[in-house]
Amino acid sequence: MKRALITGITGQDGSYLTEFLLKKGYEVHGIKRRSSSFNTGRLDGVYSDWHDSTSTLFLHFADLADASSLANLLGDIQPDEVYNLAAQSHVRVSFEIPEYTCDVTGTGVLRVLEALRRVGDGARYYQASSSEMFGSAIPPQSETTPFHPRSPYACAKLFGHAITVNYRESYGMFACSGILFNHESPRRGETFVTRKIARAAARIKGGLEQRLFLGNLDARRDWGYAPEYVEAMWLMLQQDQPRDYVIGTGETHSVKEFVACAFEHVGLEWQKYVQIDPRYYRPADVDILLADPDKARIELGWTHKTGFRELVKLMVDAETAALPAPERSLGRARAV
Ligand code: NAP
Ligand code: G4F
């Protein structure tokens, strides 16, 4: 039985990757950080009480800000594969807490790599890099496109990417960096734009809210469906050679298109409900991201399956299904 360690297991990608690896027969260990309330909700479907002797999923307290906790865990668990997904992952928030973001999202990568180098015993390593690193680079963006980060988050991710390549080249580690474009799902954090829009469309339809405040509607992103992206992470670690890959759909759409599609799906005219609040603008934004995922298609055999409109609809439907019962039926009755 292969053993994997996932940092960021309680996040969107961590939860999908956990399900994926458990289905493949892995023993999965995950790092969760201490919080004052439960932060394991996304794992509810697969987590069983630790007294259950048949369980192959184990959670441990550690933190990317605490090098000793990482080294201790890696030494104890001796995983075959390490997926480093933990990060302060919100771009807008990174402008408010830049030092913290650089510490966790940037230096945190170095802490994991250094622990792995010392006690990891040859484990394969996946780094969750981001298309945000491309920033204002001219699209389409591929593995050879020069980076131009536009936020503290993107700068921190760029450090994480560079140090991953450096550890591979310096110490011969099997370390891969996945440069993933935006990927979404009903498990996306509520303050990212797709989930915020999907949730608002469902709740406005259900009569629970009246308005949706957004920032830059013209930004364009290459949006895919998260469960498909975790397979690409795994595929990278199954290759003969460690390499870096861009993962995306090769299509780009604006925030405005996402809004229009979501509201159309519940039979509402978005212009009646959406207002601009400049508080959601960023000191510097990324205008357009568009992946050139050819290398992943050719070498990994990976392509996306869920298209843009299908993604929007599945996210809005999930929000509608999560409404309290009376509002849900109201929403359905009103839907065309
Ligand atoms: P997410 O939902 O925000 O999850 C982030 C995870 O990191 C959570 O489990 C979080 O724990 C954990 N975390 C945060 N700070 C930590 C710390 N100091 N120590 C240990 N764990 C910590 O992010 P995601 O969307 O799943 O993305 C996964 C990774 O891919 C992130 O590194 C993100 O930056 C990167 N990425 C995401 C996308 C995307 O479109 N989703 C695209 C490119 C790259 P809590 O649950 O306790 O908050
Ligand atoms: O949903 P977002 O916050 O995602 P963003 O900034 O693209 O970052 C996400 O994708 C990255 C991959 O490229 C990841 F690395 C990162 O961790 C994260 O998962 O914003 C998307 C766009 C931005 O241009 C933003 O300005 O939507 C625009 N936007 C407009 N109104 C808004 C809002 N974003 C948010 N979060 N909230 C708004 O009200």
Side-chain angles (χ1 to χ4, degrees):
M1 184 186 270
K2 271 197 181 177
R3 197 175 294 153
L5 174 65
I6 305 175
T7 76
I9 195 167
T10 57
Q12 172 189 256
D13 291 5
S15 65
Y16 285 122
L17 180 63
T18 301
E19 289 169 12
F20 178 86
L21 293 176
L22 287 173
K23 274 198 196 118
K24 287 222 167 280
Y26 278 61
E27 178 179 302
V28 177
H29 294 256
I31 285 175
K32 63 172 175 170
R33 56 182 176 160
R34 148 77 189 146
S35 66
S36 64
S37 52
F38 287 120
N39 58 356
T40 52
R42 291 183 178 108
L43 295 169
D44 280 350
V46 285
Y47 189 66
S48 51
D49 189 277
W50 64 2
H51 301 100
D52 173 0
S53 58
T54 62
S55 177
T56 51
L57 170 60
F58 304 92
L59 299 182
H60 312 267
F61 282 110
D63 199 299
L64 250 62
D66 184 334
S68 61
S69 70
L70 301 169
N72 289 340
L73 267 186
L74 276 165
D76 289 349
I77 295 167
Q78 292 290 315
D80 301 291
E81 296 170 8
V82 175
Y83 296 86
N84 185 30
L85 310 184
Q88 189 304 91
S89 73
H90 203 284
V91 176
R92 179 71 186 85
V93 172
S94 80
F95 288 98
E96 313 296 334
I97 49 170
E99 277 183 47
Y100 175 80
T101 302
C102 288
D103 185 38
V104 170
T105 305
T107 310
V109 181
L110 175 59
R111 294 190 185 104
V112 179
L113 283 167
E114 193 52 18
L116 200 54
R117 184 170 79 86
R118 292 185 175 280
V119 297
D121 200 24
R124 295 186 169 202
Y125 176 82
Y126 172 84
Q127 170 56 25
S129 291
S130 166
S131 54
E132 271 291 304
M133 302 187 305
F134 292 122
S136 54
I138 293 169
Q141 292 109 358
S142 75
E143 294 80 4
T144 55
T145 302
F147 299 114
H148 188 141
R150 299 265 291 165
S151 63
Y153 167 82
C155 293
K157 278 289 177 190
L158 186 48
F159 171 78
H161 172 74
I163 200 73
T164 299
V165 174
N166 177 256
Y167 268 53
R168 179 170 73 217
E169 292 175 354
S170 305
Y171 304 115
M173 289 169 64
F174 196 108
C176 302
S177 176
I179 307 173
L180 271 54
F181 283 62
N182 298 52
H183 44 281
E184 318 293 317
S185 75
R187 294 187 199 168
R188 190 51 143 149
E190 286 90 343
T191 61
F192 293 94
V193 79
T194 55
R195 177 87 192 274
K196 187 173 165 181
I197 295 166
R199 193 162 185 268
R203 291 173 69 82
I204 291 171
K205 182 71 185 183
L208 291 174
E209 283 173 22
Q210 287 78 44
R211 287 180 299 176
L212 167 61
F213 290 101
L214 291 172
N216 180 6
L217 299 187
D218 296 322
R220 302 181 73 84
R221 292 289 182 274
D222 181 324
W223 278 299
Y225 184 39
E228 294 165 11
Y229 285 54
V230 301
E231 181 176 14
M233 299 174 186
W234 175 78
L235 281 169
M236 287 179 214
L237 297 198
Q238 312 312 310
Q239 304 304 303
D240 291 338
Q241 296 296 325
R243 294 202 176 98
D244 308 322
Y245 294 91
V246 154
I247 301 294
T249 70
E251 262 187 46
T252 187
H253 296 273
S254 67
V255 173
K256 196 184 288 174
E257 284 174 74
F258 198 105
V259 172
C261 188
F263 278 73
E264 185 190 297
H265 187 52
V266 293
L268 296 177
E269 258 181 78
W270 69 269
Q271 291 90 340
K272 290 187 182 158
Y273 305 95
V274 173
Q275 290 181 21
I276 300 300
D277 183 340
R279 271 184 306 181
Y280 294 112
Y281 289 151
R282 295 165 185 194
D285 206 344
V286 171
D287 294 336
I288 172 163
L289 291 175
L290 170 63
D292 169 357
D294 263 10
K295 183 178 171 189
R297 183 176 54 76
I298 295 162
E299 294 187 13
L300 303 179
W302 184 91
T303 47
H304 81 287
K305 295 181 186 72
T306 306
F308 174 73
R309 293 188 73 81
E310 201 183 338
L311 173 67
V312 178
K313 286 178 186 170
L314 76 82
M315 288 184 71
V316 174
D317 287 345
E319 297 300 332
T320 304
L323 292 176
E327 285 76 9
R328 193 164 62 229
S329 48
L330 185 64
R332 283 207 186 114
R334 282 190 193 151
V336 180

